[in-house]
């Protein structure tokens, strides 16, 4: 599956994650999978120390999905997703390759709801919404709440369902 996610980060800026993943359908009714998403745009953030930085955020999640009425043209599903994330604040005055040394490994949990369109027997489009909770941010001037927020995701899913 390929996905594009819009979310709120930092001072209310819109973040754009690009990602992909895969999974297995078990018993024809339950899906387990994993995905990796990377923040694709620069989010400017003013730290509590009054410094300007850019947010870098990568997420690696394990997903548990329960679809309902999969045979219908449009059907709902719910997912509980959680895993690791890597968060760093980058100094905009430095070269792209130079980064501040303090990157945090964080835990995140993301419950979400989907509305899925069955395009063909092997292709689906999914519009999803949810909320991301984060814990473990230790970067000076940045808090757990600055990485949390609602999100909307559009996914292109293909495979055997």
């Amino acid at each position: 599956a390929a996905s594009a996610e819009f979310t709120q980060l930092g001072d209310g800026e819109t973040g754009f994650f690009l990602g992909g993943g895969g999974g297995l359908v078990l018993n024809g009714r339950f899906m387990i999978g994993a995905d990796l998403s990377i923040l694709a745009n620069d989010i400017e953030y003013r730290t509590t120390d009054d410094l300007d930085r850019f947010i870098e955020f990568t997420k690696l999640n394990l997903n548990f999905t329960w679809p309902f009425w999969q045979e219908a043209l449009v059907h709902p599903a719910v997912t509980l997703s959680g895993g690791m994330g890597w968060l760093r604040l980058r100094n905009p005055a430095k070269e792209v390759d130079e980064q501040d040394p303090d990157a945090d490994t964080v835990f995140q949990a993301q419950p979400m709801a989907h509305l899925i369109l069955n395009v063909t027997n092997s292709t689906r489009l999914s519009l999803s919404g949810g909320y991301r909770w984060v814990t473990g941010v230790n970067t000076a001037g940045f808090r757990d709440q600055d990485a949390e927020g609602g999100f909307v995701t559009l996914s292109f899913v293909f495979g055997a369902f």
Side-chain angles (χ1 to χ4, degrees), residues 67-117:
F68 303 96
W69 310 292
Q70 293 185 78
E71 299 77 22
L73 179 63
V74 178
H75 65 275
V78 293
T79 296
L80 179 57
S81 176
M84 297 173 58
W86 296 272
L87 189 125
R88 174 190 318 258
L89 297 181
R90 178 173 44 91
N91 184 339
K94 293 183 179 179
E95 294 294 323
V96 175
D97 293 336
E98 292 184 58
Q99 299 171 340
D100 291 340
D102 52 345
D104 294 332
T105 300
V106 298
F107 174 79
Q108 58 181 352
Q110 301 183 151
M112 64 184 101
H114 313 269
L115 194 55
I116 301 170
L117 171 66

Side-chain angles (χ1 to χ4, degrees), residues 5-71:
E5 176 184 309
F6 295 92
T7 188
Q8 184 178 357
L9 288 171
D11 297 323
E13 298 286 327
T14 300
F16 177 63
F17 283 89
L18 289 175
L24 297 171
V25 177
L26 304 174
N27 263 355
R29 290 287 174 210
F30 176 75
M31 290 182 269
I32 185 169
D35 66 73
L36 176 72
S37 299
I38 299 171
L39 183 62
N41 63 325
D42 280 335
I43 302 292
E44 197 167 335
Y45 177 76
R46 184 169 295 263
T47 67
T48 56
D49 303 334
D50 210 28
L51 301 171
D52 288 327
R53 295 289 185 256
F54 287 116
I55 299 170
E56 295 180 352
F57 196 5
T58 302
K59 305 182 297 180
L60 178 63
N61 288 316
L62 182 62
N63 307 309
F64 301 95
T65 302
W66 294 269
F68 303 96
W69 310 292
Q70 293 185 78
E71 299 77 22

Side-chain angles (χ1 to χ4, degrees), residues 1-6 16-19 114-115 117 124-129 151-157:
S3 64
E5 176 184 309
F6 295 92
F16 177 63
F17 283 89
L18 289 175
H114 313 269
L115 194 55
L117 171 66
R124 294 178 175 179
L125 287 175
S126 174
L127 180 63
S128 310
F151 61 88
V152 174
T153 303
L154 181 62
S155 301
F156 175 68
V157 184

